[in-house]
Amino acid sequence: LLSHPPQRRLTMVRNSRRFQNPELGQSLIDKGFDQRFSDDQLGDELTELAVAVSVQLGEEVCSPEEKYSLLGRAWAYHGNALRVATELRRADAAFKQAHLSFEKGQRRDLDRALWCRFTALLLRARRDFETARRLQDQAIRLYIRQGEPRTASQVMSDQGLGLLYQGQPEAAMTRLEQAQALVLANGSAREIATAKHNLALCLTDIGEHERALEMVADVRPVLQESGDSLSLLRLRWLEGRILTGSGRDRPAEEALVEVRDAFIEEGIGYDAALTCLDLALLYARQGRAQEMRQLAEEMLPIFKSRDVHREANAALILFREAVV
């Protein structure tokens, strides 16, 4: 199926029984989720294809309850892929479809935990931290009850990042350390690297720059071995922020410009705009008004083209008015 051009795949799934089986649907879900660190567009395409496969399933290959459970998972993973791509309105619609499908499905604890986990990430992106945290608590309980401590640790990390984004770095640190303890006991090298990356983010916000740089150094070889170029790019971004915070302006600027240009080349405009904000902080400290004005003009259309929470848009507009 994937050897054909993307525009043909949906047609093939809808018209050929060869592609109408639950194993293919689950495989597309798994492959789509694996793309979240490297290619969000491909993740979107593969999970959309998983939805199409699930819709076409007949009773000769699975029961209606099995079909709707798979369809719910496909919608949930598709919604998460859309969230990663900052398509928040479409993600919300996908999660509503997932909920409706799960209601007709097998009503498994793991399916309910999945919906809570991914919906919470969307709510966090929209700054509804309290509702997100309640859903994450529910997901953690369900995953632990079902013998899934690794996934529970990932939700704990998500929760810790939410506390960090909410301006509670100490509480975030506690939660992220709990997640790391769980993942050290149960996780893979890649999952441990992700936990350390999240801790380094928190250490950066509380001013522990040397400890944060040590964690960056621990994480980099794991990502290099896995060939995860997008995660390496995000790690370089974090390194630029750490260097900025520790007053090492020249290497910080080199890192942030490198990352901004790479995001632009990859077509990841929202993260490119956020990197510009980090550069703006550096330029403001150096009194480089002309560069700040240029960054403001570059960022505003990117933010306006996305479903970004109102506080971010308001802050950017105020920044632009201050420097233009």
Side-chain angles (χ1 to χ4, degrees):
L1 181 63
L2 298 184
S3 68
H4 293 272
Q7 62 270 23
R8 288 193 57 196
R9 295 171 188 163
L10 283 172
T11 301
M12 294 171 69
V13 163
R14 290 166 179 155
N15 291 288
S16 174
R17 288 185 177 275
R18 176 185 178 190
F19 301 114
Q20 296 169 8
N21 66 79
E23 291 80 10
L24 176 60
Q26 186 61 54
S27 180
L28 287 165
I29 288 171
D30 295 338
K31 288 181 181 295
F33 189 56
D34 287 344
Q35 298 303 316
R36 68 195 184 281
F37 295 123
S38 54
D39 188 337
D40 54 21
Q41 181 178 347
L42 182 57
D44 180 353
E45 292 173 0
L46 294 180
T47 52
E48 182 182 26
L49 209 53
V51 169
V53 169
S54 303
V55 166
Q56 297 297 324
L57 296 177
E59 293 189 14
E60 69 277 6
V61 293
C62 64
S63 69
E65 292 79 13
E66 290 169 332
K67 169 183 175 172
Y68 281 108
S69 288
L70 181 62
L71 182 58
R73 291 195 296 276
W75 274 120
Y77 277 94
H78 186 47
N80 191 59
L82 291 167
R83 176 198 61 82
V84 170
T86 63
E87 297 284 352
L88 302 190
R89 290 189 182 90
R90 292 177 60 204
D92 185 45
F95 289 135
K96 288 175 181 175
Q97 290 295 326
H99 186 269
L100 291 172
S101 298
F102 283 142
E103 286 297 302
K104 298 177 182 178
Q106 296 165 301
R107 296 175 177 266
R108 302 188 316 160
D109 278 356
L110 287 177
D111 290 338
R112 188 159 72 252
L114 177 72
W115 186 87
C116 290
R117 175 191 181 187
F118 285 164
T119 302
L121 292 175
L122 175 63
L123 291 168
R124 188 184 75 184
R126 288 181 161 168
R127 313 291 286 180
D128 186 354
F129 294 112
E130 296 306 320
T131 308
R133 196 172 301 127
R134 287 197 295 271
L135 287 178
Q136 287 164 334
D137 284 338
Q138 185 177 352
I140 290 166
R141 287 193 297 269
L142 289 168
Y143 280 126
I144 290 176
R145 188 164 77 190
Q146 292 298 316
E148 294 281 347
R150 291 170 65 177
T151 314
S153 72
Q154 294 164 10
V155 181
M156 285 182 185
S157 286
D158 294 338
Q159 202 171 49
L161 290 177
L163 289 164
L164 182 63
Y165 301 154
Q166 198 175 0
Q168 300 180 36
E170 291 79 12
M173 194 74 185
T174 298
R175 198 54 165 159
L176 289 171
E177 287 174 339
Q178 291 170 342
Q180 186 183 42
L182 197 56
V183 80
L184 284 172
N186 301 280
S188 65
R190 181 66 180 80
E191 290 165 337
I192 293 169
T194 299
K196 287 184 175 181
H197 182 279
N198 292 338
L199 273 172
L201 272 173
C202 198
L203 289 166
T204 303
D205 270 33
I206 63 177
E208 295 279 353
H209 299 116
E210 295 308 318
R211 285 183 62 195
L213 283 174
E214 289 173 6
M215 288 206 168
V216 167
D218 288 343
V219 170
R220 180 170 283 116
V222 178
L223 298 183
Q224 288 172 333
E225 185 176 347
S226 69
D228 188 344
S229 58
L230 187 56
S231 291
L232 279 167
L233 184 58
R234 297 189 190 283
L235 188 69
R236 179 68 168 150
W237 184 9
L238 174 57
E239 187 176 26
R241 292 181 56 203
I242 297 168
L243 292 168
T244 300
S246 59
R248 286 170 257 190
D249 288 358
R250 184 170 179 177
E253 182 177 359
E254 290 175 356
L256 293 173
V257 169
E258 174 190 325
V259 169
R260 179 200 61 188
D261 292 347
F263 279 139
I264 291 171
E265 185 177 345
E266 293 291 331
I268 309 174
Y270 182 58
D271 285 344
L274 292 179
T275 311
C276 286
L277 279 176
D278 290 327
L279 273 170
L281 292 173
L282 180 61
Y283 292 158
R285 189 167 70 198
Q286 297 172 339
R288 295 163 64 178
Q290 178 60 39
E291 286 93 337
M292 291 176 66
R293 284 192 288 270
Q294 182 178 345
L295 287 171
E297 294 296 340
E298 290 174 0
M299 286 185 287
L300 192 58
I302 296 172
F303 273 60
K304 283 186 172 179
S305 70
R306 298 290 184 173
D307 182 19
V308 181
H309 58 79
R310 287 175 294 178
E311 296 99 317
N313 271 326
L316 181 59
I317 290 167
L318 288 172
F319 166 67
R320 181 174 179 270
E321 291 176 349
V323 300
V324 172

